[in-house]
Amino acid sequence: HTHSLGGNISGILAAAMARVPVRVGQVHTMLHWYGKTKLRQTKQIIEETIVHKLFTHKIIFVSENTRNYFYNRTKINSKKLLVIYNGIAFNEYKPTLNKTDLLNILNIPQEKKIIGFIGRLVKGKGMEYLCEFIQSALEVNNNYIFMIVGDGDGQKLLKKRLKQFELENSVYYIGSRKDVGNFYNIFDAFLFTSDENTEGLPGVILEAAFFSLPIIARPINILKEINNFYSGIIFIDDLHQANNVLQKALCMKKINNKKRAKKRPRSEER
C-alpha cells in the first residue's frame, strides 16, 4: 500500500519486483501531481499512469471528486479505482475545557458569536477570500468574533488587510494548537474558504460536522459532495451577503442545540 505520487511510482515498482501479491496505491489530494510546470506535471501523469496500468491492483481515493479528477487525466480502468472516505478519531477531539472557561481565558464576552477557521494559512486555503468575507461581515455586524486557529504566511495578509479597515480587534489569532476540540466547542459556526481543486477530503470539515456546527463554505465540488451526507453546509453565493449567510448559520446552530437538548435526557436514562 503506497501513498501519493512518489510512493505510488517507486513503491509499486519495488513491490512488483519483490513479487508482492497485492499492490494498492492511494491518492489523497487534487494537488497530487506537484510539478512546478505543466510539462513536469504531464511527465508525472504519464509515468504514474504506466505504472498503475501495468502493476497496480487497486487505487484508493478519499472522495469521488478526487477519483474523477484522477480518472479524467489518466483514463485508467475505472474498476481499479476505489473510493474510501476518511474518518476521524472522535476521542482525540473531546473538549478538555468547558465553553465558559475557555471564553474567560480568551477574554471574549459571552454574547459574542464566534466564527471559527481551523487550518494552515497558506496558498490554496483562500486567504484573500477569507479576508473579504470577514471584512464584509464586520462592516454590517460587529457582534462577531472571528477566531483563526493555525498559522502560515497568510496570517500577514490577514493582519495587514484587517488593520487597513480597522477590523483587527474582532479577529483572534490562536496559532497552531493540538487541542482543537476545545475551539470547535466554542464556535457558533465554522468557516471554510479553500480554493477549488486544492482539497481531497478536508479533515476540518469532518471535525466540524462531528461538533454539529453549521459550515459556511465556498461552493467547491468536494463540499458539494460532502453536502450529500451532511446537510449543515451553507454555501456562499455572494461575498457582499456575508452577514446574511452568518445569520442563517446561527439560526441553524440554535436548531441543532435544541435537537441535542431533546435527545440528552433519553441518553442519560440509558
mmCIF file of all heavy atoms in Angstrom, residues 86-88 93 184 192 199 201-209:
data_model
loop_
_atom_site.group_PDB
_atom_site.id
_atom_site.type_symbol
_atom_site.label_atom_id
_atom_site.label_comp_id
_atom_site.label_asym_id
_atom_site.label_seq_id
_atom_site.Cartn_x
_atom_site.Cartn_y
_atom_site.Cartn_z
ATOM 1 N N ASN A 86 -12.347 9.272 4.265
ATOM 2 C CA ASN A 86 -11.587 9.404 5.505
ATOM 3 C C ASN A 86 -12.508 9.324 6.713
ATOM 4 O O ASN A 86 -13.699 9.653 6.630
ATOM 5 C CB ASN A 86 -10.854 10.751 5.555
ATOM 6 C CG ASN A 86 -9.683 10.803 4.602
ATOM 7 O OD1 ASN A 86 -9.157 9.769 4.216
ATOM 8 N ND2 ASN A 86 -9.276 11.998 4.224
ATOM 9 N N GLY A 87 -11.938 8.944 7.835
ATOM 10 C CA GLY A 87 -12.649 9.000 9.110
ATOM 11 C C GLY A 87 -11.854 9.859 10.079
ATOM 12 O O GLY A 87 -10.773 10.349 9.756
ATOM 13 N N ILE A 88 -12.380 10.066 11.254
ATOM 14 C CA ILE A 88 -11.637 10.783 12.296
ATOM 15 C C ILE A 88 -11.742 10.007 13.604
ATOM 16 O O ILE A 88 -12.725 9.286 13.838
ATOM 17 C CB ILE A 88 -12.130 12.229 12.499
ATOM 18 C CG1 ILE A 88 -13.610 12.266 12.909
ATOM 19 C CG2 ILE A 88 -11.908 13.067 11.259
ATOM 20 C CD1 ILE A 88 -14.083 13.660 13.291
ATOM 21 N N TYR A 93 -10.829 14.450 19.848
ATOM 22 C CA TYR A 93 -11.399 15.801 19.724
ATOM 23 C C TYR A 93 -12.335 16.169 20.878
ATOM 24 O O TYR A 93 -12.971 17.218 20.840
ATOM 25 C CB TYR A 93 -12.129 15.926 18.387
ATOM 26 C CG TYR A 93 -11.187 15.776 17.217
ATOM 27 C CD1 TYR A 93 -10.988 14.533 16.610
ATOM 28 C CD2 TYR A 93 -10.443 16.860 16.757
ATOM 29 C CE1 TYR A 93 -10.094 14.388 15.559
ATOM 30 C CE2 TYR A 93 -9.551 16.718 15.709
ATOM 31 C CZ TYR A 93 -9.379 15.479 15.115
ATOM 32 O OH TYR A 93 -8.479 15.336 14.090
ATOM 33 N N TYR A 184 -13.446 24.031 18.595
ATOM 34 C CA TYR A 184 -14.698 23.667 17.923
ATOM 35 C C TYR A 184 -15.868 23.822 18.897
ATOM 36 O O TYR A 184 -16.968 24.217 18.504
ATOM 37 C CB TYR A 184 -14.651 22.220 17.437
ATOM 38 C CG TYR A 184 -13.869 21.985 16.170
ATOM 39 C CD1 TYR A 184 -12.718 21.198 16.173
ATOM 40 C CD2 TYR A 184 -14.282 22.527 14.949
ATOM 41 C CE1 TYR A 184 -11.996 20.950 15.003
ATOM 42 C CE2 TYR A 184 -13.565 22.292 13.784
ATOM 43 C CZ TYR A 184 -12.425 21.508 13.820
ATOM 44 O OH TYR A 184 -11.716 21.271 12.663
ATOM 45 N N PHE A 192 -15.030 27.857 5.981
ATOM 46 C CA PHE A 192 -14.099 27.100 5.137
ATOM 47 C C PHE A 192 -13.982 27.811 3.794
ATOM 48 O O PHE A 192 -14.968 27.945 3.075
ATOM 49 C CB PHE A 192 -14.609 25.677 4.947
ATOM 50 C CG PHE A 192 -13.664 24.771 4.208
ATOM 51 C CD1 PHE A 192 -12.602 24.167 4.857
ATOM 52 C CD2 PHE A 192 -13.837 24.531 2.844
ATOM 53 C CE1 PHE A 192 -11.723 23.329 4.179
ATOM 54 C CE2 PHE A 192 -12.969 23.692 2.160
ATOM 55 C CZ PHE A 192 -11.916 23.092 2.821
ATOM 56 N N GLU A 199 -8.295 20.473 -2.357
ATOM 57 C CA GLU A 199 -8.600 19.601 -1.222
ATOM 58 C C GLU A 199 -9.064 18.231 -1.713
ATOM 59 O O GLU A 199 -9.812 18.132 -2.693
ATOM 60 C CB GLU A 199 -9.705 20.216 -0.353
ATOM 61 C CG GLU A 199 -9.391 21.606 0.188
ATOM 62 C CD GLU A 199 -8.498 21.561 1.414
ATOM 63 O OE1 GLU A 199 -8.162 20.461 1.882
ATOM 64 O OE2 GLU A 199 -8.154 22.644 1.924
ATOM 65 N N LEU A 201 -10.266 15.445 0.792
ATOM 66 C CA LEU A 201 -11.407 15.386 1.700
ATOM 67 C C LEU A 201 -10.961 16.100 2.975
ATOM 68 O O LEU A 201 -10.252 15.516 3.797
ATOM 69 C CB LEU A 201 -11.819 13.942 2.008
ATOM 70 C CG LEU A 201 -13.068 13.797 2.874
ATOM 71 C CD1 LEU A 201 -14.299 14.305 2.143
ATOM 72 C CD2 LEU A 201 -13.284 12.347 3.282
ATOM 73 N N PRO A 202 -11.340 17.345 3.156
ATOM 74 C CA PRO A 202 -10.814 18.155 4.264
ATOM 75 C C PRO A 202 -11.186 17.594 5.632
ATOM 76 O O PRO A 202 -12.372 17.461 5.964
ATOM 77 C CB PRO A 202 -11.469 19.529 4.048
ATOM 78 C CG PRO A 202 -12.006 19.503 2.653
ATOM 79 C CD PRO A 202 -12.294 18.082 2.325
ATOM 80 N N GLY A 203 -10.164 17.292 6.433
ATOM 81 C CA GLY A 203 -10.411 16.756 7.769
ATOM 82 C C GLY A 203 -11.161 17.737 8.652
ATOM 83 O O GLY A 203 -11.984 17.325 9.481
ATOM 84 N N VAL A 204 -10.917 19.036 8.471
ATOM 85 C CA VAL A 204 -11.585 20.022 9.333
ATOM 86 C C VAL A 204 -13.087 20.023 9.112
ATOM 87 O O VAL A 204 -13.859 20.336 10.032
ATOM 88 C CB VAL A 204 -11.017 21.444 9.116
ATOM 89 C CG1 VAL A 204 -9.580 21.535 9.625
ATOM 90 C CG2 VAL A 204 -11.107 21.870 7.653
ATOM 91 N N ILE A 205 -13.537 19.668 7.908
ATOM 92 C CA ILE A 205 -14.977 19.601 7.656
ATOM 93 C C ILE A 205 -15.596 18.439 8.424
ATOM 94 O O ILE A 205 -16.674 18.559 9.017
ATOM 95 C CB ILE A 205 -15.252 19.463 6.143
ATOM 96 C CG1 ILE A 205 -14.768 20.708 5.393
ATOM 97 C CG2 ILE A 205 -16.734 19.225 5.885
ATOM 98 C CD1 ILE A 205 -15.500 21.976 5.762
ATOM 99 N N LEU A 206 -14.898 17.298 8.444
ATOM 100 C CA LEU A 206 -15.385 16.147 9.214
ATOM 101 C C LEU A 206 -15.425 16.482 10.697
ATOM 102 O O LEU A 206 -16.363 16.101 11.414
ATOM 103 C CB LEU A 206 -14.485 14.939 8.979
ATOM 104 C CG LEU A 206 -14.313 14.463 7.531
ATOM 105 C CD1 LEU A 206 -13.431 13.222 7.490
ATOM 106 C CD2 LEU A 206 -15.659 14.185 6.875
ATOM 107 N N GLU A 207 -14.413 17.199 11.164
ATOM 108 C CA GLU A 207 -14.349 17.572 12.582
ATOM 109 C C GLU A 207 -15.470 18.540 12.944
ATOM 110 O O GLU A 207 -16.135 18.379 13.979
ATOM 111 C CB GLU A 207 -12.979 18.191 12.880
ATOM 112 C CG GLU A 207 -11.830 17.202 12.749
ATOM 113 C CD GLU A 207 -10.485 17.856 12.536
ATOM 114 O OE1 GLU A 207 -10.382 19.088 12.722
ATOM 115 O OE2 GLU A 207 -9.524 17.151 12.180
ATOM 116 N N ALA A 208 -15.694 19.538 12.097
ATOM 117 C CA ALA A 208 -16.773 20.496 12.364
ATOM 118 C C ALA A 208 -18.130 19.804 12.353
ATOM 119 O O ALA A 208 -19.011 20.113 13.169
ATOM 120 C CB ALA A 208 -16.732 21.617 11.326
ATOM 121 N N ALA A 209 -18.310 18.855 11.443
ATOM 122 C CA ALA A 209 -19.565 18.105 11.387
ATOM 123 C C ALA A 209 -19.749 17.265 12.649
ATOM 124 O O ALA A 209 -20.867 17.111 13.152
ATOM 125 C CB ALA A 209 -19.593 17.216 10.141
#
